[in-house]
Amino acid sequence: MDRKLHLLESFDARGADGKDYKVHGYEHLVRDETIADGQDHWEPTGTVEYRLADGALVDQSPDGSMRIAKTGVTLTVKKSTTA
C-alpha cells in the first residue's frame, strides 16, 4: 500500500532548552486504488505526526504537550503576534 505525507500546518515553538524550533504537522495519506481513472487519488488515514524542520520526530501527548522524541526537550508553541 502506497503512503505519503501531506503538510497540514507549520508553527514556531520554543524548547525548554531555550532554542527556537519550526514544527511541521503532517497527515498520513494512502493511495485509493478503488478509483481506476488513470489519476492518483489519496485518502487520509486519520493519523497525524509532527516533525521538526530537520525531520526529527515530535511526540504529542493526549493533553497536547509536545516534546522532541530523540532528546526529550519539551516544546511550547509560540503565540502569533499578527492581528
Side-chain angles (χ1 to χ4, degrees), residues 5 9 16-17 24 26-27 29 32 34 37 39-40 51-52 56 58 66 70 74 80-81 83:
L5 298 177
E9 62 179 333
D17 59 359
H24 301 286
Y26 297 95
E27 180 176 38
L29 302 176
D32 183 349
T34 63
D37 63 1
Q39 298 181 25
D40 284 341
R51 294 190 174 271
L52 298 180
V58 174
M66 301 180 123
K70 187 187 295 186
T74 302
S80 173
T81 58

Side-chain angles (χ1 to χ4, degrees), residues 20-64:
D20 291 328
Y21 295 91
K22 176 65 92 177
V23 180
H24 301 286
Y26 297 95
E27 180 176 38
H28 288 237
L29 302 176
V30 292
R31 185 184 309 271
D32 183 349
E33 297 181 10
T34 63
I35 303 172
D37 63 1
Q39 298 181 25
D40 284 341
H41 294 274
W42 296 88
E43 294 293 325
T45 65
T47 301
V48 175
E49 72 177 48
Y50 292 92
R51 294 190 174 271
L52 298 180
D54 68 3
L57 186 63
V58 174
D59 292 329
Q60 184 177 30
S61 298
D63 67 2

